[in-house]
Amino acid sequence: TTTGALSLTGTGGNSDGIHIDAATTTTVDAPLTLTGTATGVSTDNRGIAILNGGAVTSTGLASTGTITMTGTGSPNGTSGNHGILVSDAGSTITSATSNIVLTGTGEGTSNNNRGITVENGAAITSTAIGIPNLVLNLIGTGNDAQPNSWGVQVSGSGTIVSMIDGALLLSGASPGISDNGIRVTTGAVVETTGTGSIGLQSNPFLTQQGDIQIDTGARVTSSNMLYVLSSGDLILEGGTNPGESALLQHTSGNTHLG
């Protein structure tokens, strides 16, 4: 924990660029910046990995504690080389009063190299209330032309990306053919609960198709406006029983589809 600005840069060989495993990194009223790059071969060479209850936290009362994370998976690896991975119950990225901005790029020669993956009960949350122009941004680019290399994935029961007030944006680019720019899988939740709006934007800078897919049992809920802009399809999966279908909704404001 530090009351001053904290900036960490890591480069991994056959490992992650930055690896936070059951540990906590915290700033108070000051920026927190993590930049991780992986270069190793084989699998699971992530730019930044937060696992097993690891936490990245910005606290305090001022809006000067922006969390900025930039991760790049290894281009020399095969699969699982995500830009940023946040996995396991208790693993969190949390800000009390400031912005959260994550930018991840998946690399590798095989499949399953995603820009940003949040999975298995992990949480990214902004708990700030009434602070103007607050953002929680997840910007992910999957590996070029490889299957299942989605831009942004939020996956699994108990996994949540949420904020109260402000703008929550998922922006996913997937250069691969017929792949997902953004995918929210069964049991995962993306939501705002106060005056916050949600934006889902797929392949904003690429010409290839990039779907936005919300699987059966997943939920995207905005308490204010909801914006959806996709260069491919918007896919909402149905279920066989009541309440199982994918949910995309807002409780106030407008919905904009493009």
Side-chain angles (χ1 to χ4, degrees):
T1 301
T2 178
T3 55
L6 177 63
S7 180
L8 301 175
T9 300
T11 300
N14 286 320
S15 62
D16 302 321
I18 292 177
H19 187 91
I20 300 174
D21 191 329
T24 301
T25 302
T26 304
T27 60
V28 181
D29 291 332
L32 195 164
T33 303
L34 303 179
T35 305
T37 304
T39 61
V41 299
S42 191
T43 63
D44 300 330
N45 298 286
R46 289 79 53 123
I48 299 171
I50 302 172
L51 310 172
N52 298 315
V56 174
T57 306
S58 170
T59 64
L61 300 176
S63 57
T64 53
T66 293
I67 295 174
T68 304
M69 298 171 58
T70 304
T72 305
S74 174
N76 306 312
T78 53
S79 64
N81 300 293
H82 310 313
I84 297 174
L85 172 66
V86 188
S87 183
D88 308 318
S91 296
T92 59
I93 300 171
T94 306
S95 177
T97 56
S98 301
N99 298 326
I100 300 174
V101 180
L102 274 58
T103 304
T105 303
E107 296 281 5
T109 60
S110 186
N111 59 7
N112 188 28
N113 298 300
R114 296 167 187 154
I116 297 174
T117 293
V118 188
E119 65 178 13
N120 297 334
I124 300 177
T125 58
S126 168
T127 59
I129 298 175
I131 297 176
N133 304 315
L134 201 68
V135 299
L136 193 169
N137 289 353
L138 272 60
I139 305 164
T141 303
N143 182 57
D144 186 19
Q146 298 295 338
N148 298 324
S149 295
W150 307 322
V152 175
Q153 178 194 29
V154 184
S155 172
S157 179
T159 303
I160 187 167
V161 177
S162 72
M163 72 185 310
I164 300 172
D165 298 339
L168 193 165
L169 173 66
L170 304 186
S171 180
S174 180
I177 302 301
S178 299
D179 224 335
N180 297 130
I182 297 168
R183 189 160 185 177
V184 184
T185 76
T186 301
V189 173
V190 176
E191 68 176 3
T192 58
T193 59
T195 62
S197 299
I198 291 179
L200 305 177
Q201 182 173 264
S202 175
N203 279 16
F205 308 114
L206 299 173
T207 58
Q208 293 92 339
Q209 176 177 327
D211 300 333
I212 295 174
Q213 180 166 333
I214 303 172
D215 290 351
T216 301
R219 176 165 63 87
V220 177
T221 304
S222 174
S223 53
N224 199 341
M225 293 185 181
L226 176 63
Y227 301 85
V228 179
L229 179 62
S230 176
S231 62
D233 297 326
L234 172 61
I235 302 169
L236 304 178
E237 288 196 339
T240 57
N241 298 308
E244 285 185 347
S245 297
L247 180 62
L248 177 67
Q249 70 172 5
H250 68 95
T251 56
S252 119
N254 300 314
T255 296
H256 301 266
L257 302 177

